Coordinates of all heavy atoms in Angstrom, one line a residue:
M1 N -16.7 8.9 -39.1 CA -16.8 8.5 -37.6 C -17.9 9.3 -37.0 O -18.0 10.5 -37.1 CB -15.5 8.9 -37.0 CG -15.5 8.5 -35.5 SD -13.9 9.0 -34.7 CE -12.9 7.6 -35.3
P2 N -18.8 8.6 -36.3 CA -20.0 9.3 -35.7 C -19.5 10.3 -34.5 O -18.7 9.9 -33.7 CB -20.8 8.2 -35.1 CG -19.9 7.0 -35.0 CD -18.9 7.2 -36.0
V3 N -20.1 11.5 -34.6 CA -19.7 12.5 -33.6 C -20.1 12.0 -32.2 O -19.4 12.4 -31.2 CB -20.4 13.8 -33.9 CG1 -20.1 14.8 -32.8 CG2 -19.9 14.3 -35.3
L4 N -21.2 11.2 -32.1 CA -21.7 10.8 -30.8 C -20.6 10.1 -30.0 O -20.6 10.1 -28.7 CB -22.9 9.9 -30.9 CG -24.2 10.7 -31.2 CD1 -25.4 9.7 -31.4 CD2 -24.5 11.6 -30.0
S5 N -19.7 9.4 -30.6 CA -18.7 8.6 -29.9 C -17.8 9.5 -29.0 O -17.2 9.0 -28.1 CB -17.8 7.8 -30.8 OG -17.0 8.7 -31.6
L6 N -17.8 10.8 -29.3 CA -17.0 11.7 -28.5 C -17.7 12.0 -27.1 O -17.0 12.5 -26.2 CB -16.8 13.0 -29.2 CG -15.9 12.9 -30.5 CD1 -15.9 14.3 -31.2 CD2 -14.5 12.5 -30.2
R7 N -18.9 11.6 -27.0 CA -19.7 12.0 -25.8 C -19.9 10.8 -24.9 O -20.8 10.9 -24.1 CB -21.0 12.6 -26.2 CG -20.8 14.0 -27.0 CD -22.2 14.6 -27.3 NE -22.9 14.7 -26.0 CZ -23.1 15.9 -25.4 NH1 -22.6 17.0 -26.0 NH2 -23.8 16.0 -24.3
E8 N -19.1 9.8 -25.0 CA -19.3 8.7 -24.1 C -19.0 9.1 -22.7 O -18.0 9.8 -22.4 CB -18.3 7.5 -24.5 CG -18.9 6.7 -25.6 CD -18.0 5.5 -25.9 OE1 -17.3 5.1 -25.0 OE2 -18.0 5.0 -27.0
P9 N -19.9 8.7 -21.8 CA -19.7 9.1 -20.4 C -18.5 8.4 -19.8 O -18.2 7.3 -20.1 CB -21.0 8.7 -19.7 CG -21.5 7.5 -20.6 CD -21.1 7.8 -22.0
V10 N -17.7 9.2 -19.1 CA -16.6 8.6 -18.3 C -16.8 8.9 -16.9 O -17.0 10.0 -16.4 CB -15.3 9.3 -18.8 CG1 -14.1 8.8 -18.0 CG2 -15.0 9.1 -20.3
T11 N -16.9 7.8 -16.1 CA -17.1 8.0 -14.7 C -15.8 7.8 -14.0 O -15.1 6.8 -14.0 CB -18.1 6.9 -14.2 OG1 -19.2 6.9 -15.0 CG2 -18.4 7.1 -12.7
L12 N -15.4 8.9 -13.4 CA -14.1 8.9 -12.7 C -14.2 8.4 -11.3 O -13.3 7.8 -10.7 CB -13.5 10.3 -12.7 CG -13.1 10.9 -14.1 CD1 -12.6 12.3 -14.0 CD2 -12.0 10.0 -14.7
I13 N -15.3 8.8 -10.6 CA -15.5 8.5 -9.2 C -16.7 7.7 -9.0 O -17.8 8.1 -9.4 CB -15.5 9.8 -8.4 CG1 -14.2 10.5 -8.5 CG2 -15.8 9.4 -6.9 CD1 -14.2 11.9 -7.9
Q14 N -16.6 6.5 -8.4 CA -17.8 5.7 -8.1 C -17.8 5.5 -6.6 O -16.8 5.3 -6.0 CB -17.7 4.4 -8.8 CG -17.8 4.5 -10.3 CD -17.7 3.2 -11.0 OE1 -16.9 2.3 -10.6 NE2 -18.5 3.0 -12.0
P15 N -19.0 5.6 -6.0 CA -19.1 5.4 -4.5 C -18.5 4.1 -4.0 O -17.8 4.1 -3.0 CB -20.6 5.4 -4.3 CG -21.2 6.1 -5.5 CD -20.3 5.8 -6.6
E16 N -18.7 3.0 -4.8 CA -18.1 1.8 -4.3 C -16.6 1.9 -4.2 O -16.0 1.4 -3.3 CB -18.5 0.6 -5.2 CG -20.0 0.4 -5.3 CD -20.7 1.2 -6.3 OE1 -20.0 2.1 -6.9 OE2 -21.9 1.1 -6.5
G17 N -16.0 2.5 -5.3 CA -14.6 2.6 -5.3 C -14.1 3.4 -4.1 O -13.1 3.1 -3.5
D18 N -14.8 4.5 -3.8 CA -14.4 5.3 -2.6 C -14.3 4.5 -1.4 O -13.4 4.6 -0.6 CB -15.5 6.4 -2.4 CG -15.1 7.6 -3.2 OD1 -14.1 7.6 -3.9 OD2 -15.9 8.6 -3.2
R19 N -15.4 3.7 -1.2 CA -15.4 2.9 0.1 C -14.2 1.9 0.2 O -13.6 1.8 1.2 CB -16.7 2.1 0.2 CG -17.9 2.9 0.6 CD -19.1 2.1 0.7 NE -18.9 0.9 1.4 CZ -19.6 0.5 2.5 NH1 -20.6 1.3 2.9 NH2 -19.4 -0.6 3.1
K20 N -13.9 1.3 -0.9 CA -12.8 0.3 -0.9 C -11.5 0.9 -0.7 O -10.6 0.4 -0.1 CB -12.8 -0.5 -2.2 CG -13.9 -1.6 -2.2 CD -13.9 -2.3 -3.6 CE -15.2 -3.1 -3.7 NZ -15.5 -3.3 -5.1
E21 N -11.3 2.2 -1.2 CA -10.1 2.8 -1.2 C -9.9 3.7 0.1 O -9.0 4.4 0.2 CB -9.8 3.6 -2.4 CG -9.6 2.7 -3.6 CD -9.7 3.5 -4.9 OE1 -9.5 4.7 -4.9 OE2 -9.9 2.8 -5.9
R22 N -10.9 3.6 1.0 CA -10.8 4.4 2.2 C -9.6 4.0 3.0 O -9.3 2.9 3.2 CB -12.1 4.1 3.0 CG -12.2 5.0 4.3 CD -13.5 4.7 5.0 NE -13.6 3.3 5.3 CZ -14.7 2.8 5.9 NH1 -15.7 3.6 6.2 NH2 -14.8 1.5 6.1
L23 N -9.0 5.0 3.5 CA -7.8 4.8 4.3 C -8.0 5.1 5.7 O -8.7 6.0 6.1 CB -6.6 5.7 3.8 CG -5.9 5.3 2.5 CD1 -4.8 6.3 2.2 CD2 -5.3 3.9 2.7
L24 N -7.5 4.2 6.6 CA -7.6 4.4 8.0 C -6.4 5.2 8.4 O -5.3 4.8 8.1 CB -7.6 3.0 8.7 CG -7.8 3.0 10.2 CD1 -9.1 3.5 10.6 CD2 -7.5 1.6 10.7
R25 N -6.6 6.3 9.0 CA -5.4 7.1 9.4 C -5.0 6.7 10.8 O -5.8 6.7 11.7 CB -5.8 8.6 9.3 CG -5.9 9.2 7.9 CD -6.1 10.6 7.9 NE -7.3 11.0 8.6 CZ -7.5 12.1 9.4 NH1 -6.5 12.9 9.5 NH2 -8.6 12.4 9.9
M26 N -3.8 6.3 10.9 CA -3.2 5.9 12.2 C -2.0 6.7 12.6 O -1.2 7.0 11.7 CB -2.8 4.4 12.1 CG -2.2 3.9 13.4 SD -1.6 2.2 13.2 CE -3.2 1.3 13.2
C27 N -2.0 7.2 13.8 CA -0.8 7.9 14.3 C 0.3 6.9 14.5 O 0.2 5.9 15.2 CB -1.2 8.6 15.7 SG 0.3 9.4 16.4
S28 N 1.4 7.2 13.9 CA 2.5 6.2 13.9 C 3.3 6.4 15.3 O 4.2 5.6 15.5 CB 3.5 6.4 12.7 OG 3.8 7.8 12.6
W29 N 2.9 7.4 16.1 CA 3.6 7.5 17.4 C 2.8 6.8 18.5 O 3.4 6.0 19.2 CB 3.7 9.0 17.7 CG 4.8 9.7 17.0 CD1 5.3 9.4 15.8 CD2 5.6 10.8 17.5 NE1 6.4 10.2 15.5 CE2 6.6 11.1 16.6 CE3 5.6 11.5 18.7 CZ2 7.5 12.1 16.7 CZ3 6.5 12.5 18.9 CH2 7.5 12.8 17.9
C30 N 1.5 7.1 18.6 CA 0.8 6.5 19.8 C -0.2 5.5 19.3 O -0.9 4.9 20.1 CB 0.1 7.6 20.5 SG -1.2 8.5 19.6
R31 N -0.3 5.2 18.0 CA -1.1 4.2 17.4 C -2.6 4.4 17.6 O -3.4 3.5 17.5 CB -0.8 2.8 18.1 CG 0.6 2.4 17.9 CD 0.9 1.9 16.5 NE 2.3 1.8 16.2 CZ 2.8 1.5 15.0 NH1 2.0 1.4 14.0 NH2 4.1 1.5 14.8
K32 N -3.0 5.7 17.8 CA -4.4 6.0 17.8 C -4.9 6.1 16.4 O -4.1 6.3 15.5 CB -4.7 7.3 18.6 CG -4.6 7.1 20.1 CD -5.0 8.4 20.8 CE -4.9 8.2 22.3 NZ -5.2 9.4 23.0
V33 N -6.2 5.9 16.1 CA -6.7 6.0 14.8 C -7.7 7.1 14.7 O -8.4 7.4 15.7 CB -7.4 4.6 14.3 CG1 -6.4 3.5 14.3 CG2 -8.5 4.3 15.3
A34 N -7.8 7.7 13.5 CA -8.7 8.9 13.3 C -10.1 8.4 13.2 O -10.4 7.5 12.3 CB -8.2 9.7 12.1
A35 N -11.0 8.9 14.0 CA -12.4 8.5 13.8 C -13.2 9.7 13.3 O -14.5 9.7 13.3 CB -13.0 8.1 15.2
G36 N -12.6 10.7 12.8 CA -13.2 11.9 12.3 C -12.3 13.0 12.3 O -11.1 12.8 12.7
D37 N -12.7 14.2 12.0 CA -11.9 15.3 12.1 C -11.5 15.6 13.5 O -12.4 15.8 14.4 CB -12.6 16.6 11.5 CG -12.7 16.5 10.0 OD1 -12.0 15.7 9.4 OD2 -13.6 17.2 9.4
S38 N -10.2 15.6 13.8 CA -9.7 15.9 15.1 C -10.2 15.0 16.2 O -10.2 15.3 17.4 CB -10.1 17.4 15.5 OG -9.6 18.2 14.6
V39 N -10.7 13.8 15.8 CA -11.1 12.8 16.8 C -10.2 11.6 16.7 O -10.1 11.0 15.6 CB -12.6 12.3 16.6 CG1 -13.0 11.3 17.6 CG2 -13.5 13.5 16.7
W40 N -9.5 11.3 17.8 CA -8.5 10.2 17.7 C -8.9 9.2 18.9 O -9.1 9.7 20.0 CB -7.1 10.7 17.9 CG -6.7 11.5 16.7 CD1 -6.9 12.9 16.5 CD2 -6.0 11.1 15.5 NE1 -6.4 13.2 15.3 CE2 -5.8 12.1 14.7 CE3 -5.5 9.8 15.2 CZ2 -5.2 12.0 13.4 CZ3 -4.8 9.7 13.9 CH2 -4.7 10.8 13.1
L41 N -8.9 8.0 18.5 CA -9.3 7.0 19.5 C -8.2 5.9 19.6 O -7.5 5.6 18.6 CB -10.6 6.3 19.1 CG -11.9 7.2 18.9 CD1 -13.0 6.5 18.3 CD2 -12.2 7.8 20.3
E42 N -8.2 5.2 20.7 CA -7.3 4.0 20.8 C -7.8 3.1 19.8 O -8.9 3.0 19.4 CB -7.5 3.4 22.2 CG -7.1 4.2 23.4 CD -5.6 4.5 23.4 OE1 -4.8 3.8 22.8 OE2 -5.2 5.5 24.1
I43 N -6.8 2.3 19.2 CA -7.1 1.5 18.0 C -8.4 0.6 18.2 O -9.2 0.5 17.3 CB -5.9 0.7 17.5 CG1 -6.2 0.1 16.2 CG2 -5.4 -0.3 18.6 CD1 -5.0 -0.3 15.4
E44 N -8.5 0.0 19.4 CA -9.6 -0.9 19.6 C -10.9 -0.1 19.6 O -11.9 -0.6 19.0 CB -9.5 -1.6 21.0 CG -8.4 -2.6 21.1 CD -7.1 -2.0 21.5 OE1 -7.1 -0.7 21.6 OE2 -6.1 -2.7 21.6
E45 N -10.9 1.1 20.2 CA -12.1 1.9 20.2 C -12.4 2.4 18.8 O -13.5 2.5 18.3 CB -11.9 3.1 21.1 CG -11.9 2.7 22.6 CD -13.2 2.1 23.0 OE1 -14.3 2.6 22.6 OE2 -13.2 1.0 23.6
G46 N -11.3 2.8 18.1 CA -11.5 3.3 16.7 C -12.1 2.3 15.8 O -13.0 2.6 15.0
I47 N -11.7 1.0 15.9 CA -12.2 -0.1 15.0 C -13.7 -0.3 15.3 O -14.5 -0.4 14.4 CB -11.4 -1.4 15.3 CG1 -10.0 -1.2 14.6 CG2 -12.1 -2.6 14.7 CD1 -9.1 -2.4 14.8
K48 N -14.0 -0.2 16.6 CA -15.4 -0.3 17.0 C -16.2 0.8 16.5 O -17.3 0.7 15.9 CB -15.6 -0.4 18.5 CG -15.5 -1.8 19.1 CD -15.9 -1.7 20.6 CE -14.7 -2.3 21.4 NZ -14.9 -2.1 22.9
H49 N -15.7 2.0 16.7 CA -16.4 3.3 16.3 C -16.6 3.3 14.8 O -17.7 3.7 14.3 CB -15.5 4.5 16.7 CG -16.1 5.8 16.3 ND1 -17.1 6.4 17.1 CD2 -16.0 6.6 15.2 CE1 -17.4 7.6 16.5 NE2 -16.8 7.7 15.4
L50 N -15.7 2.8 14.0 CA -15.8 2.9 12.6 C -16.5 1.7 12.0 O -16.7 1.6 10.8 CB -14.4 3.0 11.9 CG -13.6 4.3 12.3 CD1 -12.1 4.2 11.9 CD2 -14.2 5.5 11.7
G51 N -16.9 0.7 12.9 CA -17.6 -0.5 12.4 C -16.8 -1.4 11.6 O -17.3 -2.2 10.8
L52 N -15.4 -1.4 11.8 CA -14.6 -2.2 11.0 C -14.6 -3.7 11.3 O -14.2 -4.5 10.5 CB -13.1 -1.7 11.1 CG -12.9 -0.3 10.6 CD1 -11.4 0.1 10.7 CD2 -13.3 -0.2 9.1
F53 N -15.2 -4.0 12.5 CA -15.4 -5.4 12.9 C -16.3 -6.1 11.8 O -16.2 -7.3 11.6 CB -16.0 -5.6 14.2 CG -15.1 -5.4 15.4 CD1 -15.4 -4.7 16.5 CD2 -13.8 -6.0 15.3 CE1 -14.5 -4.6 17.6 CE2 -12.9 -5.9 16.3 CZ -13.3 -5.2 17.5
H54 N -17.1 -5.4 11.2 CA -18.1 -6.0 10.3 C -17.6 -5.9 8.8 O -18.3 -6.4 7.9 CB -19.4 -5.2 10.4 CG -20.0 -5.1 11.8 ND1 -20.3 -6.3 12.5 CD2 -20.1 -4.1 12.6 CE1 -20.7 -5.9 13.7 NE2 -20.6 -4.6 13.8
E55 N -16.5 -5.4 8.6 CA -15.9 -5.3 7.2 C -15.2 -6.5 6.9 O -14.4 -7.0 7.7 CB -15.0 -4.1 7.1 CG -15.6 -2.8 7.5 CD -16.0 -1.9 6.3 OE1 -15.4 -2.1 5.3 OE2 -16.9 -1.1 6.4
A56 N -15.4 -7.1 5.7 CA -14.7 -8.3 5.3 C -13.2 -7.9 5.0 O -12.3 -8.7 5.3 CB -15.3 -8.8 4.0
V57 N -13.0 -6.7 4.5 CA -11.6 -6.3 4.2 C -11.3 -5.1 4.9 O -12.1 -4.1 4.9 CB -11.5 -6.1 2.7 CG1 -10.1 -5.6 2.3 CG2 -11.8 -7.3 1.9
M58 N -10.2 -5.1 5.7 CA -9.8 -3.9 6.4 C -9.3 -2.8 5.4 O -8.7 -3.2 4.4 CB -8.7 -4.2 7.4 CG -9.1 -5.1 8.5 SD -10.1 -4.1 9.7 CE -8.9 -3.2 10.6
P59 N -9.6 -1.6 5.7 CA -9.1 -0.6 4.8 C -7.6 -0.4 4.9 O -7.0 -1.0 5.9 CB -9.7 0.7 5.3 CG -10.0 0.4 6.8 CD -10.3 -1.1 6.9
G60 N -7.0 0.2 4.0 CA -5.5 0.4 4.1 C -5.2 1.4 5.2 O -6.1 2.1 5.7
V61 N -4.0 1.4 5.6 CA -3.6 2.3 6.8 C -2.7 3.3 6.2 O -1.7 3.1 5.6 CB -3.0 1.5 7.9 CG1 -2.4 2.4 9.0 CG2 -3.9 0.5 8.5
S62 N -3.1 4.6 6.6 CA -2.2 5.7 6.2 C -1.6 6.2 7.5 O -2.2 6.6 8.4 CB -3.1 6.8 5.6 OG -2.4 8.0 5.5
H63 N -0.3 6.1 7.6 CA 0.4 6.5 8.8 C 0.6 8.0 8.9 O 1.1 8.6 7.9 CB 1.8 5.8 9.0 CG 1.6 4.3 9.3 ND1 1.3 3.9 10.6 CD2 1.6 3.2 8.5 CE1 1.2 2.6 10.6 NE2 1.4 2.2 9.4
T64 N 0.2 8.6 10.0 CA 0.3 10.0 10.1 C 0.5 10.3 11.6 O 0.9 9.5 12.4 CB -1.1 10.7 9.6 OG1 -1.0 12.1 9.7 CG2 -2.3 10.1 10.4
M65 N 0.3 11.6 12.0 CA 0.4 11.9 13.4 C -0.9 12.5 13.9 O -1.5 13.3 13.2 CB 1.6 12.9 13.6 CG 2.9 12.3 13.6 SD 4.2 13.6 13.7 CE 4.1 14.0 15.5
C66 N -1.3 12.2 15.1 CA -2.5 12.7 15.7 C -2.2 14.1 16.2 O -1.1 14.5 16.4 CB -3.1 11.8 16.7 SG -2.1 11.8 18.3
D67 N -3.3 14.8 16.5 CA -3.2 16.2 17.0 C -2.3 16.3 18.3 O -1.5 17.2 18.4 CB -4.5 16.8 17.2 CG -5.4 16.8 16.0 OD1 -4.7 16.9 14.9 OD2 -6.6 16.8 16.0
A68 N -2.5 15.3 19.2 CA -1.8 15.3 20.5 C -0.3 15.2 20.2 O 0.5 15.9 20.9 CB -2.4 14.2 21.4
C69 N 0.0 14.3 19.3 CA 1.5 14.1 19.1 C 2.1 15.2 18.4 O 3.2 15.6 18.6 CB 1.7 12.8 18.3 SG 1.3 11.3 19.3
V70 N 1.3 15.9 17.5 CA 1.8 17.1 16.8 C 2.1 18.2 17.8 O 3.1 18.8 17.8 CB 0.8 17.6 15.7 CG1 1.2 18.9 15.2 CG2 0.7 16.6 14.6
D71 N 1.1 18.3 18.8 CA 1.3 19.3 19.8 C 2.5 19.0 20.7 O 3.3 19.9 21.0 CB 0.0 19.3 20.7 CG -1.1 20.1 20.0 OD1 -0.9 20.7 19.0 OD2 -2.3 20.0 20.5
A72 N 2.6 17.7 21.1 CA 3.8 17.3 21.9 C 5.1 17.6 21.2 O 6.0 18.1 21.8 CB 3.6 15.8 22.2
L73 N 5.1 17.4 19.9 CA 6.3 17.6 19.1 C 6.6 19.1 19.1 O 7.7 19.6 19.2 CB 6.2 17.1 17.7 CG 7.5 17.0 16.9 CD1 8.4 16.0 17.5 CD2 7.1 16.6 15.5
D74 N 5.5 19.9 18.9 CA 5.7 21.4 18.8 C 6.2 21.9 20.1 O 7.0 22.8 20.2 CB 4.3 22.0 18.6 CG 4.0 22.0 17.1 OD1 4.9 21.6 16.3 OD2 2.8 22.3 16.7
N75 N 5.8 21.3 21.3 CA 6.2 21.8 22.6 C 7.5 21.3 23.0 O 8.1 21.7 24.0 CB 5.1 21.5 23.6 CG 3.8 22.2 23.3 OD1 3.8 23.3 22.8 ND2 2.7 21.6 23.7
E76 N 8.0 20.3 22.3 CA 9.3 19.7 22.7 C 10.4 20.7 22.3 O 10.5 21.1 21.1 CB 9.5 18.4 21.9 CG 10.5 17.5 22.5 CD 10.5 16.1 21.8 OE1 11.0 16.1 20.7 OE2 9.9 15.2 22.4
D77 N 11.2 21.0 23.3 CA 12.3 21.9 23.0 C 13.5 21.8 23.8 O 13.4 21.5 25.0 CB 11.8 23.4 23.0 CG 12.1 24.1 21.8 OD1 13.0 23.7 21.0 OD2 11.5 25.2 21.5
Ligands
ZN1 ZN1 -0.4 10.2 18.4

């Protein structure tokens, strides 16, 4: 068996795959969407900001909580 076969390249991460598997983070409380680190926008604004109007396929949605709702929960007592 040729030794070279052990050195076949294996590509684990491809840029195209990253784009398709991008998740849109949405606050499940107030429905704002993440437009960056600590930036939360109303969903219409978020879609515009992220340029999703031009995407043929919407990214998946990951439900989470935005900073404001986390704060509100923390302060709730
Ligand atoms: Zn929220």
Side-chain angles (χ1 to χ4, degrees):
M1 181 182 280
V3 175
L4 279 178
S5 68
L6 295 174
R7 295 183 55 105
E8 278 186 23
V10 176
T11 307
L12 295 176
I13 297 171
Q14 292 179 322
E16 297 87 357
D18 271 358
R19 281 179 50 123
K20 281 177 196 152
E21 288 167 20
R22 183 177 55 179
L23 283 177
L24 183 67
R25 288 186 299 142
M26 178 185 287
C27 176
S28 49
W29 279 34
C30 66
R31 302 283 166 189
K32 286 185 178 176
V33 296
D37 289 340
S38 303
V39 178
W40 293 85
L41 301 171
E42 299 292 341
I43 188 161
E44 294 85 358
E45 289 301 312
I47 286 173
K48 269 188 242 173
H49 180 85
L50 297 169
L52 296 179
F53 278 140
H54 307 295
E55 304 255 337
V57 178
M58 290 288 281
V61 174
S62 166
H63 288 281
T64 180
M65 279 177 76
C66 71
D67 299 332
C69 289
V70 169
D71 284 349
L73 192 68
D74 280 348
N75 294 330
E76 198 174 76
D77 232 340

